[in-house]
Amino acid sequence: MGVRAIYPGSFDPLTNGHLDLIERSLRLVDELVVAVVTNPAKTALFTDDERVEMIREATRHLREIEIVVFDGLLVDLTARIGASAIIRGLRAVSDFEYEFQMALMNRKLREEVETVFLMPHEAYSYISSRLIKEVAGHGGSVTGLVPPGVEQRLRKKLHRG
Ligand code: PNS
């Protein structure tokens, strides 16, 4: 039986670090579901649909991945879609504490799901969606840090041409 894994996140927006993780995951698992957490409070820059569309565009060259939007508990989604692993990226030690807590809470809630940590390429270790939005919001260049389609949408969204 193949491994079906889920890669969850906010993806607001997708970065090249996320994309690197997706590519690495595809080398490990048989089926990958990218799960975009929905944003009922509307605190995200991009809508659910925009975030899904950016992932779809940037992963066209890869073998098929599924993209879903979810709310509620991640472990409930894993049960619903039959995933046995959760993939998360660890960029630096500073990510560890939060990730460790989440992994153990998810294990407590659903013991049969394993969290797997992957490290993105070191060239992406300082990239986060939050910093990308901050830099782009002030007119700085994010070329090479996000897929071209994301860069374009950031420009449009932030009214910079
Ligand atoms: O990209 P992010 O914002 O770091 O992703 C965080 C995410 C979406 C994986 C996390 O917030 C999550 O799993 N949310 C769903 C609600 C849930 O299951 N919470 C309990 C986690 S222990």
Side-chain angles (χ1 to χ4, degrees):
M1 206 183 71
V3 176
R4 185 165 162 83
I6 189 163
Y7 177 39
S10 307
F11 305 109
D12 183 44
L14 180 82
T15 68
N16 282 347
H18 293 131
L19 197 52
D20 182 70
L21 251 277
I22 290 173
E23 289 174 4
R24 283 172 204 281
S25 303
L26 284 173
R27 288 187 221 134
L28 284 181
V29 306
D30 299 288
E31 293 172 355
L32 186 68
V33 180
V34 178
V36 179
V37 71
T38 195
N39 176 43
K42 301 238 185 302
T43 48
L45 178 62
F46 292 100
T47 65
D48 296 350
D49 287 349
E50 287 170 330
R51 288 181 284 149
V52 167
E53 194 46 41
M54 285 185 279
I55 298 168
R56 190 166 289 131
E57 274 171 23
T59 55
R60 279 225 174 91
H61 62 295
L62 301 173
R63 80 173 148 89
E64 187 119 330
I65 59 168
E66 288 170 51
I67 307 169
V68 299
V69 174
F70 80 106
D71 57 7
L73 285 179
L74 180 59
V75 287
D76 290 342
L77 177 67
T78 63
R80 207 155 59 236
I81 67 172
S84 59
I86 296 169
I87 293 181
R88 292 288 290 170
L90 273 186
R91 287 165 301 192
V93 179
S94 51
D95 283 339
F96 181 78
E97 200 168 312
Y98 170 61
E99 293 298 335
F100 188 63
Q101 281 182 343
M102 269 206 308
L104 292 185
M105 180 59 84
N106 283 331
R107 179 187 285 172
K108 169 82 180 128
L109 294 169
R110 194 169 155 77
E111 208 177 328
E112 54 271 52
V113 177
E114 229 28 90
T115 299
V116 178
F117 293 107
L118 297 180
M119 286 165 292
H121 191 281
E122 59 271 20
Y124 304 131
S125 61
Y126 63 94
I127 304 178
S128 67
S129 299
R130 186 183 62 77
L131 271 189
I132 292 292
K133 283 182 282 193
E134 191 172 321
V135 171
H138 290 291
S141 168
V142 292
T143 303
L145 306 181
V146 295
V150 173
E151 196 179 343
Q152 252 171 36
R153 280 176 195 258
L154 275 166
R155 259 203 303 270
K156 240 195 218 158
K157 183 76 82 175
L158 301 165
H159 305 293
R160 290 178 189 277

